[in-house]
Each structure stands twice: as C-alpha cells, then as structure tokens.
Amino acid sequence: MALPWFTIEMLKRLRDSPTCGRMCAVKALREVGASVVQVEDKVPLVFPGRGGVLRDPNNFNRTWRNARGTLYCTG
C-alpha cells in the first residue's frame, strides 16, 4: 500500500515520540524447550484502543466501515 509522504512523516513522529508511542501489555504463547508457556510481553502500538489495549478486529472493522462510508466498498 502506498502512503502519502505526510502520513509517513506523521507515523515516524508518533514512533519517535516518548509521549505518543504507547506500549501495550499482551499475553503471548512461547515455546521454551519442549513446552509452551504463557509470557507477558509489551508491544508498541501506533493506534491503540482505549486504555492502551489491542483493538478487537470486529470492532475496528465496524469503525473503519463507518469512517470510510460505502464510496470505496467493492462488494
């Protein structure tokens, strides 16, 4: 996907900003030796959900559909 230059610049500023770059606590499964363990990790998010959590894909899709309207809908 090609992005306009101003979008790229904005994303770079968000990435480099200590106040805007939020880390989100997540739980992940990792293979350690012969077993799988649950570990807590942190990942950077550009657009976190409320409270700094991951967005639910279904909720995001609904929000995105409402924001873009039907003009760009291909079916």
Side-chain angles (χ1 to χ4, degrees):
M1 172 190 308
L3 297 174
W5 65 269
F6 55 86
T7 304
I8 295 169
E9 291 303 314
M10 183 267 312
L11 290 171
K12 286 179 181 178
R13 281 195 309 272
L14 282 174
R15 178 194 63 196
D16 297 337
S17 171
T19 57
C20 292
R22 288 202 239 165
M23 298 297 282
C24 177
V26 296
K27 292 184 179 179
L29 297 176
R30 296 242 168 82
E31 188 173 352
V32 178
S35 61
V36 175
V37 295
Q38 181 175 319
V39 296
E40 292 189 16
D41 200 359
K42 290 192 174 198
V43 294
L45 299 178
V46 176
F47 304 110
R50 290 183 183 153
V53 297
L54 292 171
R55 292 181 181 267
D56 180 277
N58 294 322
N59 291 342
F60 175 79
N61 289 338
R62 182 176 46 248
T63 303
W64 177 244
R65 242 186 340 269
N66 292 338
R68 76 164 190 249
T70 57
L71 181 62
Y72 298 104
C73 186
T74 59

